[in-house]
Amino acid sequence: MKIAFVVGTRPEFIKTVSLIKECEKRKINYFIIHTGQHYSYELDTLFFEELHIKKPEYNLNVGSSTHWEQTGKMMVGIERILVEERPDLVLVQGDTNTVLAGALSAKKLGIKVGHVEAGLRCYNIFMPEEINRRLTDHISDFLFCPTLTNRDNLIRENIDGKNIYVVGNTIVDVLYENLELSKKKGEKIMNEIGITPGNYFLVTAHRQENIDDKKTLINLLRGIENIQKKYDLPVIYPMHPRVHGSINKFSIKLLGNIKIIKPISYLESIYLQKYAKLILTDSGGIQEEACILGKPCVTLRENTERPETVDIGANVLAGTNPQKINDSVEKMLYAGTWKHPFGD
Ligand code: UD1
C-alpha cells in the first residue's frame, strides 16, 4: 500500500505527525505533498524541525492568494504528482483549503480519499473551513471521526455509516507524546516573556471572520484588554501574520499589558496552554488541546464545530462582544473538571 499525505498548514503538520510516525513504524510506503499554503518559518519549517517530520517529497509553494486561486493552484500541482505516483490512498486532515484541494484532486483521479477529523460541523456555511470540511466529507471514502457526535452529523447528511470510523482525535497522541518534552522550551519562553505559571491569560485568534473585519477585530481586542485590566494579569498573544496585517491596515493601537509575540512552536504552545490561567481562542485545535489539558477555554466565536467541549463544561462560546467575553471569563474561572471526549 502507498499513502500520500497532503498537508499545507500549521495544524495539519501537527495533527498528521502521529499518523506519519505510525506509517514509519509499520513500514508502510508513504510520501508527503506540502502545498505551501503556509510558508513562513514560524508557521512551517519550525514544525517539521521540532516534531521531526521528514522533509516533504514535494512542495508546491502555492503561497497566499484568494481562496480559489490558492485552491486551484494546489489542485493543478497535486494532480500532476498523483498521476505520476498513483498512491492507493490520499489522506487529508482537517478543514483547510489544502484539505479540499487534496481530496478533490484525488477523487477525480479515482484514488481513494481518507478524511481525518471528519464530521465536524459548526453550521456556519459562510466560514471557509465549514465549506471545506463539508465538501471533503462528501467525497471521502474513509471518514475518520474524532467523536460519536461527528459520526451522527455525517449520518444526518446521508453519508454511508459503513465508511465511518470513530477513532478519536490524533491531537491526543501528539499532545501526550510532547507534553513532557515541552518543559525545556516552555520554561525558556516563559522566562523570556517574564511570566510565571498560572499568572497569565493566553490568547490566540486568527480566523478570517474575526480578523478581516475592522469592527469585529476592535471588539475582540477591546474585550481582551478589559480582561487584562480587570484581573491585572498579562495577556500573551502569539500573533499569526494575518492579524499583524489587519492591525496595521486598520491602524489599531493595543492598550494595557498585552504581550504580542511572534507565532510560537508546538512545544511552546502546549506549555503555555498548560500553565495559563485561562485560554481565549478562536482556533479549533486549541479548543481541543485546552479541553484535554483540563484548562478552561473561552471561544471567541459564535459557534463551534467542537460542541463536545461546551457540553462538558470545558469551553464557552463568547463571540467577540466585550461584555460577553467578560462574562464568559468570569464564568470559566470557576469551571469544574471534566473528562475529555477525544479518545486515548
Ligand atoms: C489557514 C486555514 C485555517 C487554519 C489556519 C492555521 C483556510 C481557509 N484557512 O488560515 O483554517 O486555522 O490556516 O493557521 O485554509 N501568511 C503568512 N505566512 C504564512 C501563511 C500565511 O504570512 O506562512 C499570511 C498571509 O498574509 C496570508 C494570511 O496569512 O494572506 C492568511 O493565510 P492563509 O493560509 O490564507 O489562511 P490562514 O489565516 O493561515
Side-chain angles (χ1 to χ4, degrees):
M1 178 166 59
K2 180 153 118 179
I3 298 179
F5 287 94
V6 179
V7 295
T9 71
R10 176 170 63 174
E12 294 152 57
F13 310 144
I14 297 166
K15 285 180 161 182
T16 49
V17 69
S18 50
L19 299 173
I20 289 174
K21 298 258 157 87
E22 198 61 27
C23 282
E24 275 165 13
K25 216 158 78 189
R26 298 186 195 194
K27 304 213 182 327
I28 293 171
N29 188 7
Y30 78 95
F31 65 96
I32 301 173
I33 303 174
H34 184 333
T35 60
Q37 178 171 348
H38 282 180
Y39 46 83
S40 299
Y41 175 78
E42 289 95 1
L43 299 189
D44 174 19
T45 313
L46 175 57
F47 294 92
F48 283 83
E49 288 173 359
E50 194 176 64
L51 298 169
H52 306 289
I53 312 171
K54 78 166 179 190
K55 196 168 174 277
E57 280 75 5
Y58 300 95
N59 192 323
L60 302 173
N61 294 309
V62 298
S64 307
S65 45
T66 63
H67 281 275
W68 282 111
E69 189 179 332
Q70 187 182 56
T71 313
K73 277 186 190 162
M74 289 177 193
M75 289 196 289
V76 172
I78 296 168
E79 181 189 42
R80 255 185 231 134
I81 299 164
L82 294 182
V83 165
E84 202 160 294
E85 291 267 6
R86 289 298 323 173
D88 302 290
L89 174 70
V90 166
L91 277 180
V92 291
Q93 191 286 329
D95 53 22
T96 66
N97 290 345
T98 291
V99 170
L100 179 60
L104 268 177
S105 313
K107 192 68 181 176
K108 290 215 169 183
L109 291 170
I111 297 169
K112 295 245 188 285
V113 179
H115 186 201
V116 180
E117 223 176 72
L120 278 68
R121 295 290 181 273
C122 69
Y123 298 103
N124 174 4
I125 197 60
F126 297 106
M127 274 182 76
E129 290 83 1
E130 181 79 356
I131 302 170
N132 292 339
R133 59 174 87 96
R134 284 196 197 197
L135 295 177
T136 302
D137 281 340
H138 281 266
I139 56 170
S140 288
D141 300 277
F142 305 102
L143 297 108
F144 300 110
C145 294
T147 69
L148 283 169
T149 306
N150 307 140
R151 181 179 199 280
D152 292 345
N153 292 341
L154 295 177
I155 298 288
R156 266 201 305 279
E157 291 176 18
N158 295 324
I159 287 180
D160 192 341
K162 76 174 187 323
N163 300 332
I164 304 175
Y165 305 82
V166 178
V167 294
N169 196 308
T170 56
I171 196 65
V172 179
D173 303 274
V174 187
L175 185 60
Y176 287 167
E177 198 167 313
N178 286 289
L179 209 46
E180 272 299 303
L181 296 174
S182 70
K183 191 165 183 276
K184 200 167 147 206
K185 271 197 171 182
E187 284 178 350
K188 182 162 178 277
I189 190 167
M190 277 176 92
N191 281 336
E192 280 166 12
I193 306 172
I195 47 174
T196 52
N199 293 318
Y200 61 91
F201 292 98
L202 180 67
V203 171
T204 80
H206 68 271
R207 290 270 164 201
Q208 179 177 312
E209 65 275 17
N210 279 342
I211 302 309
D212 291 8
D213 177 68
K214 183 175 179 184
K215 196 162 163 251
T216 312
L217 179 58
I218 290 178
N219 261 341
L220 185 154
L221 295 171
R222 295 290 105 93
I224 292 167
E225 288 163 0
N226 292 345
I227 296 300
Q228 190 280 312
K229 256 190 269 156
K230 179 170 168 181
Y231 296 96
D232 195 21
L233 287 177
V235 167
I236 314 306
Y237 188 167
M239 200 169 269
H240 186 295
R242 177 175 211 124
V243 193
H244 274 298
S246 290
I247 285 185
N248 290 338
K249 185 166 132 202
F250 304 139
S251 309
I252 298 172
K253 285 217 161 29
L254 282 159
L255 310 168
N257 195 3
I258 314 278
K259 293 180 190 283
I260 308 285
I261 57 172
K262 61 180 176 31
I264 49 181
S265 77
Y266 185 65
L267 296 181
E268 291 168 335
S269 169
I270 58 180
Y271 199 83
L272 288 185
Q273 286 183 63
K274 185 175 172 192
Y275 289 109
K277 189 170 186 64
L278 179 142
I279 297 168
L280 297 104
T281 190
D282 66 6
S283 147
I286 291 190
Q287 289 173 59
E288 290 161 359
E289 284 171 338
C291 178
I292 298 165
L293 288 166
K295 201 51 62 176
C297 182
V298 170
T299 292
L300 304 167
R301 288 173 51 194
E302 304 292 343
N303 50 53
T304 179
E305 57 292 316
R306 277 105 173 154
E308 302 88 340
T309 59
V310 177
D311 295 343
I312 60 173
N315 187 13
V316 69
L317 298 177
T320 52
N321 177 296
Q323 185 60 47
K324 201 133 178 246
I325 293 176
N326 172 74
D327 298 348
S328 305
V329 169
E330 215 170 270
K331 175 179 167 192
M332 287 311 287
L333 282 174
Y334 295 99
T337 55
W338 52 83
K339 184 175 176 312
H340 80 77
F342 298 114
D344 59 7

